Amino acid sequence: MRLDLSYDGTDFHGWAAQPGQRTVQGELEQALSRIARVPVQVTVAGRTDAGVHARGQVCHLDLPGPVLATIPGRSDRAPADALVTRLAGLLPADVVVHAAREVPAEFDARFGALRRRYRYRISDGPTVHDPLRRDVLRHRWPLDVEAMARASRALLGEHDFLSFCKPREGATTIRTLEQLSWERPEPGRTDEGLVVATVVADAFCHHMVRSLVGTLLAVGEGRKGEDWPAQVLAARTRQSSTRTSAGSAPLCPPQGLTLEGVEYPAEADLAAQARAARVLRG
């Protein structure tokens, strides 16, 4: 079963379940287990940090046929439709499951994904800051969006992003960055007046998006030249920067970051994509 969901990450200690912490996975698995009356575990497309939001998150779970048949209760609804309705009654207000559907056994929310798309939203002046929005970083200095866009180009393509990642033992930090663009939407467009980064890659390692944005903020503020991100990339290090050399990327706050969507191949290609991703990431 595939679930498509959104959440406001402000009051969560990230996605991944942790003892004694309020997490998205913890809330979702608790609700699913109450409905199914058996322990349920989910696999997510991309684990988000504490304070990070999602508009297009995807996860999958496996339910035995007899358990699936009990979900509609006495109604004649399909199990997937009934699951969405019942989850709405159990989940807190800051998590919404928009859709559920049965998918082939080959579907894997994590390894089957072709690419993930994030957006980071920044207000760099009091005229555009909306205190009601919790998905925007309030920044104290004006940003040069054009300089940030030019500096981002050197990061596109396949690279070792060690300087931008918190690596896991035994896992690769090589990723293919497909898009890193910056814009200030004009009046009448969504997010008008904000500074918006769109970041797309086949996958991301831990803290990668926040580190990319943190590095480009230094360029936008004028503290670093447009060649600075390329220097950080070439350093391939977790050591801090010095006065004479580039080091690991600075980490920006989480609240401006939103997972916007995850793209998957056609059903016929799901198994091949999952196999390839496991080899690549292992």
Side-chain angles (χ1 to χ4, degrees), residues 36 43 48 78 117 146 175 205 216 225 227 229 241 253 261-262 269 277:
T43 298
T48 49
R117 184 177 74 259
E146 288 74 20
R175 296 291 188 269
C205 43
L216 271 302
D227 61 345
S241 299
V262 185
D269 299 322

Side-chain angles (χ1 to χ4, degrees), residues 95-252:
V95 183
V96 177
V97 172
H98 299 288
R101 61 188 177 96
E102 295 184 49
V103 289
E106 295 80 13
F107 181 86
D108 187 298
R110 178 187 176 192
F111 290 107
L114 290 172
R115 57 187 55 87
R116 286 89 169 163
R117 184 177 74 259
Y118 283 87
R119 284 204 172 96
Y120 198 101
R121 296 172 172 88
I122 306 167
S123 68
D124 62 342
T127 59
V128 296
H129 183 68
D130 180 356
L132 300 182
R133 289 193 64 166
R134 307 213 296 182
D135 62 339
V136 177
L137 174 70
R138 187 170 187 176
H139 196 66
R140 291 184 293 172
W141 297 281
L143 297 171
D144 184 338
V145 177
E146 288 74 20
M148 296 163 78
R150 289 191 297 268
S152 297
R153 294 169 190 159
L155 304 177
L156 297 177
E158 183 181 84
H159 302 286
D160 185 344
F161 285 94
L162 177 61
S163 297
F164 295 88
C165 294
K166 182 180 179 181
R168 293 187 298 109
E169 185 176 354
T172 180
T173 51
I174 296 175
R175 296 291 188 269
T176 301
L177 186 60
E178 300 179 7
Q179 181 180 352
L180 176 52
S181 60
W182 294 85
E183 64 173 335
R184 193 186 298 272
E186 298 176 351
R189 293 182 57 199
T190 302
D191 297 325
E192 66 175 75
L194 299 177
V195 176
V196 182
T198 301
V199 192
V200 181
D202 58 340
F204 294 93
C205 43
H206 194 201
H207 287 168
M208 181 173 164
V209 180
R210 291 171 58 193
S211 296
L212 290 168
V213 173
T215 301
L216 271 302
L217 283 178
V219 177
E221 294 168 5
R223 294 188 289 110
K224 296 291 185 180
E226 294 181 18
D227 61 345
W228 175 247
Q231 293 179 39
V232 174
L233 179 68
R236 292 178 58 190
T237 181
R238 295 307 305 158
Q239 301 300 314
S240 299
S241 299
T242 67
R243 291 184 177 180
T244 58
S245 63
S248 61
L251 191 65
C252 70

Side-chain angles (χ1 to χ4, degrees), residues 7 12-29 42-44 46-52 57 206:
Y7 48 85
F12 285 107
H13 200 77
W15 165 269
Q18 302 174 56
Q21 300 287 354
R22 183 174 187 260
T23 69
V24 183
Q25 183 182 13
E27 295 283 353
L28 181 59
E29 289 184 346
V42 300
T43 298
V44 74
R47 291 187 292 180
T48 49
D49 295 338
V52 175
Q57 182 67 279
H206 194 201

